[in-house]
Amino acid sequence: MRDSVSTVRRVSDDATALVEAFRARTERQPAGVWAAPGRVNLIGEHTDYNDGYVMPFALAQRVLIAAAPRQDGLWSVTSLNNHSTETFQAADLQPGMTGWQAYVAGVVWALKGAGHRIGGADLVLSSDVPVGAGLSSSAALECAVLSALADLNELDIAGLERAKLARRSENAFVGAPTGLMDQAASTLCTAGHALFFDCRTAGAEQVRFDTAGAGLEILVLDTKTPHALVDSEYAARRASCEAAARLLGVAALRDVINLDTALEQLADPVIQRRVRHVVSENARVLEAVKVLRAGRIADLAPLLDASHESMRDDFEITVPQVDLAVEVARASGATGARMTGGGFGGCIIALVPAGEAERVGSDIVHSFAAAGFGQPMYFTAVPSAGAQRLH
Ligand code: GAF
């Protein structure tokens, strides 16, 4: 496991090292250090933009930011991961900006758009959230920047509002038509819990998720599959769902009460499959909440399996590497497994007996080598805290 984990890039492993990097770069002390995590979605995929239900938890992997105000109105951001510094000013805050700095500039833009006065700042960041793995590295970056800028500018913004501002940055500045799940997870999650989140009402419930207490653990395995189609396919899935809702005369697919009746009203078999995924996935999240509230974590397993099958056969967002990883995980002793995140590559999660994650992960690595796929990376997930100030 250690070998695999070491492939996750954290340039600066803790806040102390980050503070030193900040001082070396700016020759002054940061005003503080902030952190925001990546996430795993336990269940509820492509339900968020259908006004549905999701159940993510925050990872221990996170973005760390050291920051201090500056008086010249500029924002200077150094990424220790990318070994680069980008500087921008208010006139540069134009939607469509590209590069990693867009995730930072977009947050400044969203805050200003909401009427907040945001002074210039120096920011130095590092991250150990795997990039491009479907673990919300971008939401972690946005939420960490938002936390830092909110405090530096003495803004009193509640957690949910922070998540919405970060999502606005992602949607309208970066240009990715995502739902609210990732930013809500990075902002609102608490250690030891999964977050049951209703994407229509924004109702949030922290549901205890003590895998160790249940003699289980969650293996996260990044298939490292390049997912070139993710942006266009994600947008296409979203458009299909919205078209289906219009055909069914409902505000969103969350409002479909009777799946069979809805399917009879739809002529296109592709649209039928998309609807079946979203409606059945919402039902699985509601079942998963009941299971967790009752402390029956082991009973999540069949829901994870059914979710994967639905994503593979109905929503058609899995790829061969992801399907192989899920199959081998199950054959190797996982009681349930599914792809997590937006799809077309990325990670799987597997519910495994405590102490078995290493063996299951290693079996998947061997199966990938035999199939001629690249080497995956894996780790055991620890349900962790949401965005916070560390110092
Ligand atoms: C991505 C998006 F950013 C989320 O909003 C969500 O739709 C997810 O894919 C799929 O459940 O992470």
Side-chain angles (χ1 to χ4, degrees), residues 49 65 68 114 155 161 183 315 319 343 345 351:
Y49 55 79
I65 292 188
L155 306 176
E161 188 55 27
Q183 292 79 13
F315 220 57
V319 295
L351 189 64

Side-chain angles (χ1 to χ4, degrees), residues 39 41 44-49 54 134-136 138 167 170 176-183 234 317 338 340-343:
R39 64 97 189 93
N41 189 20
E45 224 62 83
H46 287 261
T47 46
D48 61 352
Y49 55 79
V54 294
L135 298 177
S136 293
S138 57
R167 178 199 182 185
E170 175 99 26
T178 62
L180 182 58
M181 172 172 70
D182 300 346
Q183 292 79 13
Y234 184 96
I317 54 172
R338 65 181 287 272
T340 185

Side-chain angles (χ1 to χ4, degrees), residues 38-304:
R39 64 97 189 93
V40 149
N41 189 20
L42 198 50
I43 197 158
E45 224 62 83
H46 287 261
T47 46
D48 61 352
Y49 55 79
N50 288 300
D51 274 4
Y53 309 104
V54 294
M55 204 198 282
F57 65 86
L59 291 169
Q61 287 84 348
R62 58 194 184 172
V63 172
L64 291 178
I65 292 188
R70 48 189 282 168
Q71 306 309 322
D72 59 2
L74 298 178
W75 292 274
S76 171
V77 196
T78 297
S79 163
L80 299 184
N81 292 68
N82 297 336
H83 306 288
S84 69
T85 298
E86 302 290 338
T87 302
F88 54 88
Q89 55 189 340
D92 299 324
L93 297 173
Q94 303 294 338
M97 181 191 278
T98 56
W100 65 269
Q101 66 273 21
Y103 293 94
V104 180
V107 171
V108 178
W109 174 86
L111 282 164
K112 281 175 157 282
H116 298 295
R117 288 170 64 97
I118 305 296
D122 281 320
L123 303 108
V124 176
L125 64 94
S126 75
S127 173
D128 64 351
V129 186
V131 173
L135 298 177
S136 293
S137 58
S138 57
L141 176 52
E142 291 154 356
C143 294
V145 171
L146 209 140
S147 298
L149 294 181
D151 283 358
L152 289 185
N153 293 280
E154 297 179 353
L155 306 176
D156 185 15
I157 308 176
L160 179 62
E161 188 55 27
R162 289 180 186 216
K164 287 181 177 172
L165 285 167
R167 178 199 182 185
R168 177 153 170 69
S169 158
E170 175 99 26
N171 290 172
F173 194 88
V174 177
T178 62
L180 182 58
M181 172 172 70
D182 300 346
Q183 292 79 13
S186 189
T187 305
L188 302 176
C189 280
T190 57
H193 296 86
L195 175 75
F196 171 46
F197 189 71
D198 180 332
C199 298
R200 169 168 284 166
T201 65
E205 177 185 339
Q206 305 290 343
V207 192
R208 193 156 163 68
F209 189 48
D210 177 13
T211 45
L216 294 163
E217 54 192 9
I218 294 276
L219 168 74
V220 179
L221 181 133
D222 178 5
T223 63
K224 298 239 185 134
T225 316
H227 47 314
L229 291 176
V230 67
D231 291 345
S232 58
E233 291 291 341
Y234 184 96
R237 293 303 180 281
R238 184 169 179 155
S240 300
C241 291
E242 286 165 358
R246 278 195 298 277
L247 287 168
L248 293 169
V250 292
L253 291 184
R254 184 258 186 63
D255 298 310
V256 173
I257 307 288
N258 185 317
L259 178 59
D260 291 335
T261 310
L263 295 181
E264 278 166 22
Q265 289 175 256
L266 298 165
D268 181 345
V270 174
I271 297 279
Q272 285 180 335
R273 290 201 295 276
R274 304 298 186 249
V275 170
R276 191 162 54 214
H277 166 72
V278 173
V279 175
S280 65
E281 185 77 349
N282 272 327
R284 282 186 287 273
V285 180
L286 295 179
E287 191 54 36
V289 184
K290 285 188 200 155
V291 159
L292 289 194
R293 282 183 190 142
R296 295 186 282 116
I297 294 184
D299 291 344
L300 277 179
L303 297 170
L304 301 183

